[in-house]
Amino acid sequence: MSVGCPAVSVTGLYKSFVDGNEQVRVLENLTFTLPLHHSTALVGPSGSGKSTLINILTGIEPPDAGAIRLFGETVSHSSQKRWSQLRGQCIATVFQDANLMPTLSLANNIRLRAQLAGTSDANAEHWLNLLGLDNLGHRFPDQVSGGQRQRAALAMAFAMRPALLLADEPTGSLDVATARQVADALFHHQQDTGCPMLLSTHDPVLAARCDTTLSLMATGLGDP
Ligand SMILES: Nc1ncnc2c1ncn2[C@@H]1O[C@H](COP(=O)(O)OP(=O)(O)OP(=O)(O)O)[C@@H](O)[C@H]1O
Ligand SMILES: [Mg+2]
């Protein structure tokens, strides 16, 4: 990875899905960069491809065409080993459905994530407190609410001290007050660490807090 390059540079990205006889075209010739140290809001109507784009950048969904560079390094979905290294060590992703290990407590989920990323100071309590989950570290994911799981997933992302944070509607399932708390934690983390962040959201207030905006259009294109 080269110092000074954009965090993400995407050129001519295409993605479609096949649904029966129909081709659902989702991303069409998408080109953008995510600058270092910036937060970028990923916006667009439901179905416009926000989660698909995040899945592609995470390496779990292959694009049909296009070039992706992360910190100047060209990455290819044909090299799954490299993608999985990046996912493990420097790209933190918070999905719409929180991705916790069901057999581990919240605190141990955080510790494991940090250890896998090679971070030595896995202070789970610090991250739990930051996200308003004080005293819930011992509980298992099925013993807390959906919003609490979502916050624990964010704590895991912070604990790995990522080089890039991809968050897919991190406040979507939260009440107004908790959403505000989580948003504050996200932006404080971004300001404290300078970690570039791509944040998909339907919330215009949250989008406005980001430095820049990447808008996806609903293509609505389908080949019968
Ligand atoms: N595996 C799949 N097979 C077929 N179509 C898919 C698949 N995954 C996603 N799609 C379609 O691709 C389009 C984009 O989906 P995506 O989840 O990326 O949208 P989104 O912008 O994240 O929407 P939302 O705001 O509702 O989360 C949708 O029309 C969706 O139905
Ligand atoms: Mg989505």
Side-chain angles (χ1 to χ4, degrees), residues 68-129:
I68 301 172
R69 277 183 293 159
L70 299 175
F71 301 95
E73 176 184 339
T74 299
V75 283
S76 158
H77 282 71
S78 57
S79 171
Q80 274 306 315
K81 193 174 168 197
R82 182 64 184 138
W83 274 113
S84 102
Q85 270 176 347
L86 291 168
R87 265 199 306 277
Q89 290 168 3
C90 51
I91 304 178
T93 312
V94 181
F95 294 103
Q96 268 180 297
D97 302 316
N99 42 327
L100 304 177
M101 294 270 293
T103 52
L104 294 180
S105 69
L106 300 191
N108 280 338
N109 264 284
I110 293 167
R111 289 187 192 107
L112 176 66
R113 192 69 198 80
Q115 279 158 13
L116 288 175
T119 306
S120 52
D121 60 338
N123 185 345
E125 283 69 30
H126 165 75
W127 300 112
L128 287 163
N129 291 348

Side-chain angles (χ1 to χ4, degrees), residues 20-104:
N21 293 328
E22 196 183 339
Q23 189 188 21
V24 183
R25 288 187 234 160
V26 180
L27 302 174
E28 296 253 20
N29 197 17
L30 184 65
T31 294
F32 65 91
T33 57
L34 301 183
L36 287 175
H37 313 309
H38 277 56
S39 54
T40 303
L42 177 60
V43 301
S46 181
S48 58
K50 301 180 297 298
S51 296
T52 302
L53 176 60
I54 285 179
N55 289 342
I56 289 172
L57 293 177
T58 311
I60 57 178
E61 185 78 56
D64 299 333
I68 301 172
R69 277 183 293 159
L70 299 175
F71 301 95
E73 176 184 339
T74 299
V75 283
S76 158
H77 282 71
S78 57
S79 171
Q80 274 306 315
K81 193 174 168 197
R82 182 64 184 138
W83 274 113
S84 102
Q85 270 176 347
L86 291 168
R87 265 199 306 277
Q89 290 168 3
C90 51
I91 304 178
T93 312
V94 181
F95 294 103
Q96 268 180 297
D97 302 316
N99 42 327
L100 304 177
M101 294 270 293
T103 52
L104 294 180

Side-chain angles (χ1 to χ4, degrees), residues 126-136 148 151 178 181:
H126 165 75
W127 300 112
L128 287 163
N129 291 348
L130 189 79
L131 288 149
L133 297 171
D134 327 33
N135 305 320
L136 292 185
Q148 289 165 340
R151 283 182 275 160
T178 313
Q181 184 186 19

Side-chain angles (χ1 to χ4, degrees), residues 188-205:
H188 286 151
H189 175 265
Q190 202 264 325
Q191 278 151 18
D192 287 350
T193 63
C195 175
M197 172 166 76
L198 180 65
L199 177 66
S200 106
T201 182
H202 287 285
D203 178 356
V205 176

